[in-house]
Amino acid sequence: ELKVEQNPLFLSMQEGKNYTIYCNYSTTSDRLYWYRQDPGKSLESLFVLLSNGAVKQEGRLMASLDTKARLSTLHITAAVHDLSATYFCAVDLPLEYGNKLVFGAGTILRVKS
Amino acid sequence: SAVISQKPSRDICQRGTSLTIQCQVDSQVTMMFWYRQQPGQSLTLIATANQGSEATYESGFVIDKFPISRPNLTFSTLTVSNMSPEDSSIYLCSVATGEKLFFGSGTQLSVL
């Protein structure tokens, strides 16, 4: 069974602190997505990581991909309250698996003032 | 990028009835995807809809329960049939353009 595992599932952090969310997946893939979801809202695309060693940064968020380790990280630097949301990683499966996305369980992030 | 209009945004329905969700895209796309997000859960793919062919359903989802139409390259509908409280979820359509996957605003369905 193809699995995408995120951890932690819940993260409470103080403003100004740094933390990393991890996304492990169980099959070969060269494409991984990170999304943000606010309560009651749809998904907002944050990053698309297309190759081994890819690193992308936007504001206080930085995402990386290690396809050999089947691991992606989403690093939060100097967290602010506005980053509070649920973050999902999603793995793009190869064509033989139907060329579809499989989502992780999501990480609920709460940034406290 | 793609702009996706999804409606209704929310609905409260009675058990045993059906609801049709519409998804309109501002550009032509080959594949459209329908996802379900149960309360507090992640997203699960229901089916992939290609224009001009039958939708491809994922394990655990069947056409009789979730019929899908795809009449052209910019539009799709998902019907949730014979609803029960277990169908209460957010339903999202999505499309892939280039390297990104975009999502509609979602339909929050509550079944009483």
Side-chain angles (χ1 to χ4, degrees), chain B residues 20-71:
Chain B
T20 296
I21 302 167
Q22 299 180 5
C23 189
Q24 178 78 50
V25 189
D26 68 343
S27 58
Q28 293 184 337
V29 293
T30 303
M31 290 194 291
M32 295 180 73
F33 305 90
W34 287 97
Y35 285 86
R36 181 176 74 181
Q37 186 177 25
Q38 293 176 299
Q41 303 293 316
S42 187
L43 280 77
T44 302
L45 181 64
I46 297 172
T48 302
N50 292 331
Q51 192 269 333
S53 64
E54 292 284 332
T56 302
Y57 288 82
E58 297 300 308
S59 176
F61 298 97
V62 295
I63 188 171
D64 290 346
K65 176 68 176 177
F66 298 101
I68 289 172
S69 77
R70 185 79 202 276

Side-chain angles (χ1 to χ4, degrees), chain A residues 39-53:
Chain A
K41 304 290 187 181
S42 186
L43 276 74
E44 174 191 352
S45 177
L46 294 175
F47 301 108
V48 182
L49 302 170
L50 298 176
S51 61
N52 186 42

Side-chain angles (χ1 to χ4, degrees), chain A residues 31 33 35 37 40-43 45-46 48 50 56 88-89 98-106, chain B residues 10 31 33 35 37 40-43 45 48 58 90 92 98-106 108:
Chain A
R31 185 176 298 194
Y33 300 80
Y35 288 92
Q37 187 178 37
K41 304 290 187 181
S42 186
L43 276 74
S45 177
L46 294 175
V48 182
L50 298 176
K56 291 193 175 180
F88 293 97
C89 64
N99 199 210
K100 62 187 180 184
L101 283 190
V102 176
F103 282 79
Chain B
R10 60 177 62 229
M31 290 194 291
F33 305 90
Y35 285 86
Q37 186 177 25
Q41 303 293 316
S42 187
L43 280 77
L45 181 64
T48 302
E58 297 300 308
I90 298 173
L92 299 111
E99 62 192 33
K100 288 193 174 183
L101 189 69
F102 296 91
F103 285 85
S105 53
Q108 187 159 351

